[in-house]
């Protein structure tokens, strides 16, 4: 009998459940911002700066206003007194802050910065009118890169600053100098990661609508963080938050890039208020490339001290991040610097550490978080360093890592920067990757190929990834908002159906499926009985949104807790009805019954109906609703650490420098897996993006701060055919001791390793041809050729 | 990304199209073929034609046919038609081979060979192949038709030597009588992307004396497709399968060009690519020898 009950209660947790959101996306039935049409809607377009650094002497809008269909034109000067710029300040020492105005007021600070906003009756008319607006810009000396920005006589980008630094940070362990001096071997390296960014299929876009009767603003916007956008808008526009409703409908990819409040959202809101009509703006690809958030531009200098065995004794680093012109909301310009500084030692037992880290301002588009945030650069640097040390000592690159990785018996492990690695399988993951790849066979293939004059190379990378960090971590980072929790509000309606309103947003992560799995398991109902709702601030409880690999852990945890609370209440009601003890009530197949006698029970629909419609039957002290709102912060809030090991086999075409990706093996440990199908998809997508960083993607600026890459003709992105020919993913499951169900975040991880991995493999391939090594990303064919030519 | 205002015309014949082009010349009228180059340029507002004369409804511009000494390909023939053509696969497989390298399949189902020639992009495949095969380009204007040799057709970057009121109607490919072979190779940063450098070779081969005539064309090295006389003369009299001869010809071609560099490759890198891709094209040609083309 018990066996039968077990099969009646399928556990969705851990199953490869197909994504329930996919039919909507795959059949073109999703509804994005651009699919929304409001009555009387106008279209907005932005006049953007053609100068990297210039004084705004004026903006001539007369011609534009006279064009057919044009309704209004707005300049920075016109709104300087009525709206506040977007502002996000760090609370840390040395911080120099700045507002990011909706439209440039006295100065423009990057090519693409919005100077004026035009609205017209249709998209064609508005683009015609945009051309007719003539900004009068007096060029100033541009600060196009970090060398220019940090030069002694550098022009100031923000005139009230002392220099062009958002922040300078320093961390040093006791006795660092002695430790480094005592190291038998030392070597120095410089690593550079090019500026690039997330390129979602759907660009940014929003519709702002003002209800003048109620004094209420609605903003549909393609965002990952609807509540934070609402807070930011309220602050900038001085409208109370309960008069602003932000709706993030289906969003066609975010990758962190859509986790910001943008000047364009502010301008559209102001325009909606001014014109009294809904205002739609849909970003085009050129705008996305030059004027959205950029990412990843890091330069790292390191000095490493190590002993004869390859044990790393000390690590000294100087990290510089080109943060562009403005501090971004809500992250500030400290994120990349802080993350890189904290995680640089990576999965290795490095106890002596010294780091200087700077966020540098330049006349380029603002830098913000993109899947992986700083960790791709940190991983590139520490992994390149490991490879270099291995080479100097004649060690196999897997061996140097094995000797330095944190061992399983050391968890929880507190890193030299104070991060608490909760659990992990650093060495086991490496071993499994080597076993699955057939590392020795790869080496034999490499040898055989070399004899034929072909250049195969093997790359290795390991990393650990902080995920789902909350209060303790964000508090340390000195950003104004501490992203401490997520919220889920569960409701069972009178028909026994469940709705989960959650503060996160799902835009490709499969959370409509994973959260339903969790709720359905708690309540013993089918997935079809659970509806997941998110994105509308008027429907869901406050929370931060989707970023930092947090949603499955935090919204999953909150959903689990809220569902557990409803389950407990259902158990009390059922026990009352069945004259049994609540502890004896079991749930499965959409029923609650006395353990051991499934016939003795009620369907949840019956209990739900009774609760709402015949409350006389439920216990007197129970309120006649089935609702629970819970927040979850995965305490202690330092985050839970996922880890991975990757091996890659490449062939380098020595004549052209082209890198062919042959076999990739990824072993990932993200604790207990809710849905392996979704986890694999996230890893594949992340790795694809990482391969873009490794080989293709680069936002090039010239010495005057002019972007040279403005369309997808020049911004190369990987496609399916650019993925490795064989691509395997394997899992280890080391539960987190801290989180609900032992789950860990993993959404960003895939994007972290490939830069380091491909570099490691390319170096290994061209070793017989050159002493040159890859030190910068992307690894273009031309760079490979240059290394080969240098011999 | 919306174009400035323009008027749209859909003539049914080439004569009507040419007449429209002449009448509207002052307001910058342009032909619309597959739209795969022109429409993006209009959306970026880099091209601002006042009128579009759509050729897609004009009769007789589309199709591949064998002629007594070669092939005639209509201007409106899509890249994908060439890629899929069984006759060409059997008769001149270079063309399907090249077509398959242009952009992505979706682009190829719309883009046309005539459009690609008139667009005259220095890194595009068809202009280079037109130079390689010494095709004749047939154009029709309000005053009648004329043929332009491929060597005269590409004036400079993005500029064909045709008048604003002329329409490209077809290309004629004339093949020699004796034994010949073709080879092609290109370097692109990723599959489906524009080539950085591409090389095509056409070799006439004599059983006794090896290569009796050679044509070598390169894209991505100059403002217009380049014919490498240095490589051509280096190949004469060599065995078509002689790797050392390929090496010499490729080096000669590379030494003779002065490509200008851009984001996708510096001058030196392009020269190195010429060397690598030409060698590959020559070995492709050698392997095609004897195979029915
Ligand atoms: C994503 C993408 C990738 C691409 N990749 C490649 C690639 O790898 N290699 C490559 O070669 N091309 C590539 N292209 C361009 C593509 O091949 C175009 O189809 C081609 O360049 C133009 O052909 P079309 O028929 O589309 O011409 P259109 O865009 O319609 O016209 C191009 C120009 O030619 C003129 N024109 C067209 N037909 C005639 C005619 N019969 N008579 C007179 N003038 C005419 C037009 O007025 C216009 O000036 C790519 C395009 C895209 C969008």
């Amino acid at each position: 009998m018990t066996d039968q009950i077990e099969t009646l209660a399928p556990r969705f947790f851990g199953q490869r459940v197909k994504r329930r959101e996919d039919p909507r996306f795959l059949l073109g039935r999703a509804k994005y911002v651009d699919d929304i049409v409001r009555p009387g809607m106008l279209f907005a377009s932005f006049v953007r700066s053609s100068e990297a650094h210039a004084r705004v002497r004026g903006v001539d809008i007369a011609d534009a206003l006279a064009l057919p269909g044009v309704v209004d034109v707005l300049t920075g000067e016109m709104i300087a007194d009525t709206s506040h710029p977007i502002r996000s300040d760090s609370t840390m020492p040395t911080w120099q802050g700045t507002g990011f105005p909706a439209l440039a007021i006295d100065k423009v600070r990057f090519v693409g910065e919005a100077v004026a906003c035009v609205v017209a009756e249709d998209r064609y008319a508005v683009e015609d009118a945009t051309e007719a607006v003539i900004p009068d810009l007096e060029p100033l000396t541009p600060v196009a890169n970090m060398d220019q920005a940090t030069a002694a006589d550098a022009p100031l980008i923000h005139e009230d600053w002392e220099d062009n630094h958002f922040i300078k940070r320093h961390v040093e362990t006791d006795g660092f100098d002695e430790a480094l001096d005592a190291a038998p071997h030392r070597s120095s390296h410089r690593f550079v990661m090019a500026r690039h960014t997330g390129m979602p299929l759907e660009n940014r876009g929003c519709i702002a609508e003002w209800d003048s009767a109620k004094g209420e603003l609605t903003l549909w916007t393609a965002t990952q963080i609807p509540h934070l956008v609402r807070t930011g808008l309220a602050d900038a526009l001085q409208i109370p938050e309960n008069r602003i409703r932000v709706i993030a409908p289906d969003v066609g990819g975010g990758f962190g890039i859509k986790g910001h409040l943008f000047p364009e959202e502010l301008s559209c809101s102001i325009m909606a208020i001014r014109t009294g009509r809904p205002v739609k703006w849909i970003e085009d690809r050129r705008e996305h490339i030059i004027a959205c958030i950029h990412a990843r531009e890091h330069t790292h200098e390191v000095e490493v001290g190590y002993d004869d065995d390859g044990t790393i004794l000390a690590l000294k680093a100087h990290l510089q991040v080109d943060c562009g012109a403005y501090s971004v909301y809500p992250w500030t310009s400290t994120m990349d610097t802080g993350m890189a500084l904290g995680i640089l030692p990576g999965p290795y037992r490095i106890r002596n550490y010294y780091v200087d880290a700077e966020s540098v301002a330049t006349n380029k588009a603002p830098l913000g978080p993109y899947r992986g945030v700083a960790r791709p650069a940190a991983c590139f640097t520490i992994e390149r360093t490991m490879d270099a040390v291995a080479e100097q000592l004649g060690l196999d690159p897997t061996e140097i890592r094995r000797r330095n990785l944190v061992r399983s018996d050391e968890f929880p492990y507190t890193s030299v920067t104070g991060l608490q690695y909760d659990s992990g399988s650093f060495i086991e993951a490496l071993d499994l990757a080597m076993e699955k790849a057939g590392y020795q066979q790869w080496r034999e293939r490499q040898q055989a190929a070399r004899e034929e004059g072909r250049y195969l190379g093997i790359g290795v990378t390991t990393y650990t990834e902080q995920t789902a960090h909350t209060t303790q971590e964000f508090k340390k980072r000195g950003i104004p908002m501490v992203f401490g929790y997520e919220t889920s509000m569960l409701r069972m309606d009178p028909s026994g159906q469940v709705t989960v309103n959650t503060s996160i947003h799902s835009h490709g992560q499969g959370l409509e499926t994973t959260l339903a799995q969790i709720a359905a398991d708690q309540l013993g109902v089918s997935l079809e009985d659970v509806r997941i709702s998110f994105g509308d601030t008027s429907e869901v409880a406050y929370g931060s949104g989707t970023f930092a690999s947090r949603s499955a852990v935090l919204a999953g945890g909150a959903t689990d807790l809220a569902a557990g609370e409803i389950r407990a209440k259902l158990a009390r009601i059922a026990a009352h009805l069945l004259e049994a003890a609540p502890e004896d009530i079991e749930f499965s197949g959409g029923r609650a019954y006395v353990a051991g006698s499934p016939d003795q029970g009620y369907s949840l629909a019956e209990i739900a109906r009774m609760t709402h419609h015949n409350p006389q039957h439920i216990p007197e002290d129970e309120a006649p609703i089935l609702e629970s709102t819970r927040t979850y912060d995965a305490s202690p809030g330092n985050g839970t650490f996922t880890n991975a090991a990757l091996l890659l086999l490449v062939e380098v075409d020595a004549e052209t420098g082209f890198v062919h990706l042959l076999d990739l093996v990824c072993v990932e440990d993200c604790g207990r897996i809710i849905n392996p199908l979704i986890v694999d998809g996230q890893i594949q997508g992340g790795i694809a993006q990482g391969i873009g960083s490794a080989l293709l993607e680069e936002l090039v600026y010239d010495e005057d701060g002019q972007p040279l890459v403005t369309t997808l003709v020049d911004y190369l992105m990987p496609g399916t055919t650019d993925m490795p020919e064989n691509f395997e993913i394997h899992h280890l499951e080391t539960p987190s001791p801290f989180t609900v169900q032992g789950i860990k975040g993993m959404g960003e991880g895939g994007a972290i390793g490939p830069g380091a991995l491909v570099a490691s493999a390319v170096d290994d391939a061209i070793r017989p041809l050159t002493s040159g090594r890859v030190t910068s990303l992307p690894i273009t064919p031309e760079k490979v050729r240059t290394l080969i030519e240098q011999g | 990304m919306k174009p400035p205002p323009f008027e749209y015309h859909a003539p049914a014949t080439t004569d009507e199209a040419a007449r429209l082009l002449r009448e509207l010349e002052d307001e910058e009228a342009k032909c619309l073929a597959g739209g795969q180059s022109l429409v993006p340029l209009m959306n970026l507002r880099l091209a601002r034609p006042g009128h579009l004369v759509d050729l897609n409804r004009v009769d007789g511009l589309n199709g591949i046919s064998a002629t007594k000494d070669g092939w005639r390909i209509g201007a409106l023939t899509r890249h994908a038609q060439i890629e899929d053509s069984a006759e060409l696969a059997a008769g001149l497989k270079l063309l399907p081979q090249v077509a398959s390298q242009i952009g992505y399949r979706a682009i190829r189902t719309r883009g046309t060979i005539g459009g690609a020639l008139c667009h005259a992009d220095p890194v595009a495949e068809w202009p280079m192949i037109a130079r390689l095969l010494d095709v004749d380009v047939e154009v029709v204007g309000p005053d009648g038709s004329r043929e332009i040799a491929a060597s005269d057709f590409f004036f400079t970057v993005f500029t064909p030597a045709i008048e604003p009121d002329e329409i490209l109607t077809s290309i004629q490919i004339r093949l020699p009588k004796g034994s010949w072979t073709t080879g092609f190779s290109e370097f692109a940063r990723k599959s489906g992307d524009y080539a950085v450098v591409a090389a095509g070779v056409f070799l006439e081969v004599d059983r006794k004396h090896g290569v009796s005539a050679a044509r070598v064309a390169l894209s991505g090295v100059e403002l217009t497709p380049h014919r490498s006389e240095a490589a051509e003369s280096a190949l004469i009299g060599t065995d078509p399968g002689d790797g050392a001869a390929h090496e010499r010809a490729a080096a000669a071609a590379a030494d003779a060009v002065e490509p200008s560099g851009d984001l996708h490759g510096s001058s030196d890198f392009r020269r190195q690519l010429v060397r690598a891709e030409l060698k590959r094209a020559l070995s492709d040609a050698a392997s095609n020898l004897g195979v029915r083309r």
Side-chain angles (χ1 to χ4, degrees):
Chain A
M1 201 69 207
T2 343
D3 284 344
Q4 216 175 337
I5 294 164
E6 298 271 336
T7 51
L8 266 177
R11 296 270 296 152
F12 296 111
F13 194 104
Q15 301 299 313
R16 297 180 79 85
V17 177
K18 279 199 186 162
R19 304 202 324 170
R20 19 174 22 209
E21 49 266 68
D22 279 349
R24 177 167 99 247
F25 290 117
L26 297 177
L27 297 173
R29 290 178 189 154
K31 198 162 185 180
Y32 302 97
V33 168
D34 202 18
D35 296 316
I36 297 168
V37 176
R38 303 294 302 167
M41 189 166 78
L42 298 171
F43 292 80
S45 167
F46 290 89
V47 179
R48 297 186 179 277
S49 173
S50 57
E51 295 289 334
H53 195 190
R55 201 159 299 290
V56 181
R57 278 197 294 229
V59 183
D60 184 349
I61 61 173
D63 290 354
L65 274 172
L67 286 174
V70 174
V71 175
D72 200 2
V73 182
L74 197 60
T75 65
E77 199 188 346
M78 292 161 71
I79 55 169
D81 297 335
T82 52
S83 81
H84 295 289
I86 295 169
R87 193 156 182 130
S88 189
D89 284 319
S90 170
T91 57
M92 279 193 283
T94 78
W95 170 256
Q96 303 191 88
T98 160
F100 189 179
L103 299 166
I105 300 169
D106 49 346
K107 257 173 91 166
V108 286
R109 296 183 175 87
F110 66 96
V111 173
E113 180 169 358
V115 175
C117 176
V118 185
V119 294
E121 297 289 344
D122 68 62
R123 179 73 190 244
Y124 291 85
V126 80
E127 291 196 21
D128 292 344
T130 302
E131 285 188 313
V133 174
I134 320 284
D136 180 4
L137 303 177
E138 176 193 335
L140 301 169
T141 310
V143 178
N145 52 50
M146 292 194 280
D147 285 345
Q148 291 180 8
T150 54
D153 56 347
L156 288 176
I157 294 169
H158 299 282
E159 271 124 11
D160 53 339
W161 287 14
E162 280 171 19
D163 58 15
N164 290 318
H165 282 98
F166 286 101
I167 201 164
K168 291 180 205 164
R169 295 187 59 189
H170 177 79
V171 174
E172 176 180 350
T173 51
D174 285 344
F176 178 84
D177 289 341
E178 297 78 58
L180 184 63
D181 287 343
H185 308 281
R186 283 155 76 160
S187 68
S188 297
H189 309 274
R190 183 169 189 272
F191 300 110
V192 177
M193 193 169 211
R195 177 172 276 247
H196 58 288
T197 193
M199 205 60 68
L201 272 180
E202 179 207 28
N203 287 325
R204 292 180 293 160
C206 64
I207 304 171
E209 185 170 312
W210 175 245
D211 181 333
S212 58
K214 293 189 186 151
E216 290 180 7
L217 178 74
T218 302
L219 184 78
W220 289 263
T221 186
T223 188
Q224 303 171 219
I225 51 167
H227 279 106
L228 301 184
V229 166
R230 188 184 78 184
T231 300
L233 272 182
D235 289 347
L237 298 173
Q238 303 287 292
I239 297 175
E241 276 202 62
N242 64 356
R243 298 296 161 96
I244 301 179
R245 176 180 179 191
V246 174
I247 305 173
D250 279 328
V251 172
F255 311 115
I257 304 304
K258 289 184 187 153
H260 296 86
L261 170 65
F262 290 107
E264 290 88 347
E265 290 167 322
L266 210 52
S267 287
C268 289
S269 301
I270 296 168
M271 271 298 201
I273 296 169
R274 278 171 65 93
T275 61
R277 291 172 65 181
V279 171
K280 176 188 267 189
W281 170 64
I282 300 295
E283 181 185 54
D284 67 34
R285 189 60 68 182
R286 185 171 45 180
E287 289 179 292
H288 187 82
I289 292 175
I290 66 169
C292 189
I293 295 294
H294 290 173
R296 303 247 204 282
E297 188 172 1
H298 286 229
T299 297
H300 296 175
E301 280 167 4
V302 294
E303 185 177 5
V304 59
Y306 53 98
D307 68 13
D308 296 339
D309 297 334
T311 305
I312 306 299
L313 301 174
L315 179 69
K316 185 171 188 173
H318 179 203
L319 315 176
Q320 284 186 309
V321 183
D322 183 333
C323 289
Y326 293 104
S327 175
V328 297
Y329 185 96
W331 313 106
T332 78
S333 298
T334 64
M335 285 294 281
D336 266 65
T337 326
M339 289 284 263
L341 170 159
I343 199 71
L344 189 69
Y348 304 111
R349 277 181 279 110
I350 295 174
R351 302 310 313 175
N352 295 295
Y353 183 48
Y354 174 111
V355 58
D356 281 311
E358 304 164 28
S359 293
V360 180
T362 60
N363 287 123
K364 293 198 287 213
L367 185 111
Y370 164 39
R371 195 178 199 170
V373 196
R375 286 160 296 187
C379 176
F380 183 62
T381 295
I382 194 69
E383 292 299 286
R384 293 274 65 203
T385 304
M386 285 291 168
D387 281 346
V389 172
E391 184 164 11
Q392 279 149 12
L393 293 175
L395 285 175
D396 188 277
T398 61
E399 185 54 30
I400 183 99
R401 288 170 170 84
R402 189 174 291 102
R403 290 183 188 178
N404 286 285
L405 285 168
V406 175
R407 291 182 296 261
S408 290
D409 58 11
E410 293 174 296
F411 294 110
Y413 173 89
T414 303
S415 83
V416 66
T417 55
L419 298 172
Q420 194 181 15
Y421 299 175
D422 52 339
S423 67
S425 55
F426 298 178
I427 293 175
E428 294 78 358
L430 178 61
D431 287 342
L432 184 60
M434 290 173 73
E435 179 197 319
K436 294 289 180 187
Y439 187 71
Q440 276 319 315
Q441 285 95 301
W442 280 15
R443 285 279 171 223
E444 285 157 24
R445 265 170 84 182
Q446 179 182 37
Q447 196 47 44
R450 275 187 192 165
E451 280 154 25
E452 295 167 21
R454 288 169 43 229
Y455 300 95
L456 266 56
I458 299 169
V460 56
T461 285
T462 64
Y463 64 81
T464 184
E465 175 199 5
Q466 185 181 25
T467 73
H469 25 296
T470 58
T471 314
Q472 288 311 315
E473 177 61 21
F474 282 110
K475 186 176 90 183
K476 276 198 302 207
R477 294 194 191 173
I479 49 179
M481 279 184 211
V482 170
F483 309 109
Y485 58 88
E486 290 302 332
T487 315
S488 280
M489 189 168 87
L490 247 84
R491 196 178 273 149
M492 183 174 279
D493 59 37
S495 67
Q497 299 281 301
V498 181
T499 298
V500 180
N501 288 302
T502 175
S503 57
I504 55 90
H505 192 282
S506 182
H507 37 276
Q509 298 88 345
L511 289 157
E512 289 175 49
T513 305
T514 38
L515 296 185
Q517 286 177 260
I518 289 173
D521 273 349
Q522 265 290 7
L523 295 166
V525 298
S526 70
L527 287 178
E528 290 69 37
D529 292 334
V530 183
R531 178 176 157 258
I532 307 290
S533 152
F534 51 82
D536 182 343
T537 57
S538 71
E539 253 181 43
V540 306
Y542 201 88
S544 298
T546 286
F547 50 85
S549 301
R550 69 194 335 241
S551 295
V553 177
L554 301 185
T559 301
D560 196 67
L561 294 173
E565 217 163 75
I566 292 185
R567 177 191 169 117
K569 181 161 182 178
L570 288 167
R572 291 195 300 274
I573 296 171
H576 178 78
L577 294 169
L578 294 164
E579 294 178 1
E583 309 80 76
D584 292 337
I585 303 297
E586 281 188 359
F587 293 78
S588 80
R591 288 173 56 79
Y593 49 84
V594 179
S597 16
D599 306 340
Q600 235 190 302
Y602 288 93
S603 72
L604 297 189
E606 285 170 318
I607 300 177
R609 206 161 269 278
M610 215 157 347
T611 304
H612 291 90
H613 296 165
N614 303 98
Q616 69 274 24
H617 296 316
I618 69 169
E620 268 177 28
D621 54 351
E622 298 286 355
I625 47 164
L626 296 167
E627 234 180 79
S628 166
T629 299
R630 292 293 299 262
T631 62
Y632 180 59
D633 67 353
S635 63
N638 297 311
T640 170
F641 286 75
T642 290
N643 65 275
L646 298 118
L647 286 171
L648 172 70
L649 184 68
V650 302
E651 176 163 359
V652 172
D653 183 331
E655 285 186 326
T656 63
F658 192 87
V659 178
H660 295 272
L661 306 177
L662 303 176
D663 295 333
L664 191 150
V665 175
C666 169
V667 174
E668 153 115 348
D669 186 341
C670 61
R672 291 189 65 217
I673 297 178
I674 306 170
N675 185 331
L677 187 69
I678 288 177
V679 165
D680 286 356
Q682 288 290 302
I683 294 173
Q684 286 166 359
I687 286 182
Q689 283 181 310
I691 286 171
S693 314
L695 293 171
L696 296 167
E697 297 178 41
E698 183 168 10
L699 290 161
V700 184
Y701 280 80
D702 71 10
E703 294 283 301
D704 297 323
Q706 287 292 330
L708 302 183
V709 170
T710 60
T711 69
L712 294 179
V713 174
D714 294 322
Y715 191 81
L716 303 180
M717 299 190 61
T720 333
T721 44
D722 305 301
M723 291 301 101
E725 285 170 24
N726 301 303
F727 190 161
E728 280 178 33
I729 298 169
H730 302 277
H731 299 285
L732 291 168
E733 294 194 53
T734 311
S736 168
F738 299 136
T739 64
V740 166
Q741 305 271 23
I743 57 185
K744 297 181 172 185
M746 53 75 51
E748 296 169 275
I752 294 174
L757 181 69
V758 178
S760 170
V762 168
D763 272 0
D764 190 48
I766 63 178
R767 206 181 309 275
L769 300 171
T770 175
S771 59
R773 297 291 170 256
V774 173
T775 55
S776 68
L777 297 178
I779 310 165
T780 62
E782 180 158 1
K783 274 187 200 163
V784 177
R785 273 299 308 169
T786 307
L787 289 174
I788 292 173
E789 269 164 31
Q790 105 192 25
Chain B
M1 292 247 184
K2 296 284 182 241
F6 62 88
E7 263 178 60
Y8 173 85
H9 310 267
T13 63
T14 39
D15 286 349
E16 197 188 332
R19 218 176 36 244
L20 276 168
L21 289 173
R22 173 159 293 180
E23 274 168 21
L24 304 168
E25 202 180 317
D26 293 345
E27 295 164 52
E28 226 196 296
K30 269 201 162 292
C31 292
L32 175 70
Q36 297 304 290
S37 295
L38 181 56
V39 173
L41 287 174
M42 288 169 64
N43 285 343
L44 289 163
R45 296 187 175 229
L46 295 171
R48 307 172 156 261
H51 298 264
L52 280 191
V53 177
D54 188 349
L55 301 180
N56 287 278
R57 286 171 185 75
V58 174
D59 271 344
L61 289 181
N62 184 315
I64 300 163
S65 49
T67 59
K68 63 177 194 319
D69 55 356
W71 299 88
R72 178 186 182 281
I73 300 182
L76 258 270
T77 309
R78 314 283 162 179
H79 310 318
Q81 279 174 277
I82 298 173
E83 181 180 15
D84 297 345
S85 164
E87 299 147 276
L88 284 176
L92 181 57
K93 79 156 206 182
L94 175 71
L95 298 190
Q97 179 188 2
V98 168
S100 72
Q101 300 298 303
I102 300 175
Y104 308 91
R105 183 73 188 183
I107 308 294
R108 301 198 288 271
T109 52
R110 280 192 163 266
T112 68
I113 189 167
L117 293 174
C118 292
H119 187 55
D121 188 328
V123 296
E125 284 86 354
W126 289 139
M128 185 272 271
I129 294 297
R131 284 288 276 130
L132 177 72
L133 298 178
D134 279 329
V135 306
D136 287 315
V137 180
E138 189 184 80
V139 300
V140 172
D143 310 321
S145 70
R146 61 182 180 120
E147 278 198 356
I148 309 173
S151 54
D152 296 328
F153 186 79
F154 301 101
F155 184 67
T156 181
V157 59
F158 300 131
T159 317
I162 62 175
E163 299 302 323
D165 56 4
E166 284 181 325
I167 295 154
L168 193 162
T169 51
S170 73
I171 61 165
Q172 299 282 346
I173 301 170
R174 298 191 172 85
L175 297 170
K177 291 233 165 48
S179 164
W180 52 265
T181 182
T182 60
F184 174 77
S185 184
E186 74 171 39
F187 180 86
R189 292 284 306 278
K190 57 171 195 150
S191 55
D193 196 37
Y194 276 95
V196 182
V197 163
V201 298
F202 188 97
L203 304 178
E204 290 177 57
V205 185
D206 181 314
R207 213 168 270 159
K208 268 209 230 114
H209 304 105
V211 175
S212 59
R215 288 182 243 162
V216 172
L218 300 167
S219 73
V221 294
E222 280 175 3
L223 298 181
T224 59
H226 173 78
R227 274 284 288 272
S228 176
E229 284 166 23
E232 290 173 358
S233 53
L235 286 164
I236 301 294
T238 64
D239 178 334
D242 176 359
H246 297 172
E247 192 78 58
R248 281 194 302 276
D255 286 346
V257 291
E258 273 296 334
S260 56
D262 64 12
L263 275 182
H264 301 292
S266 66
S267 181
D268 282 348
F269 181 58
R270 281 173 192 272
R271 216 179 283 117
Q272 169 62 22
L273 289 178
V274 164
R275 198 177 175 134
E277 298 308 318
L278 180 50
K279 234 164 50 182
R280 287 163 202 205
L282 284 165
S283 101
D284 182 37
S287 68
N288 289 332
L289 198 66
V291 181
R292 255 190 68 75
R293 61 245 169 184

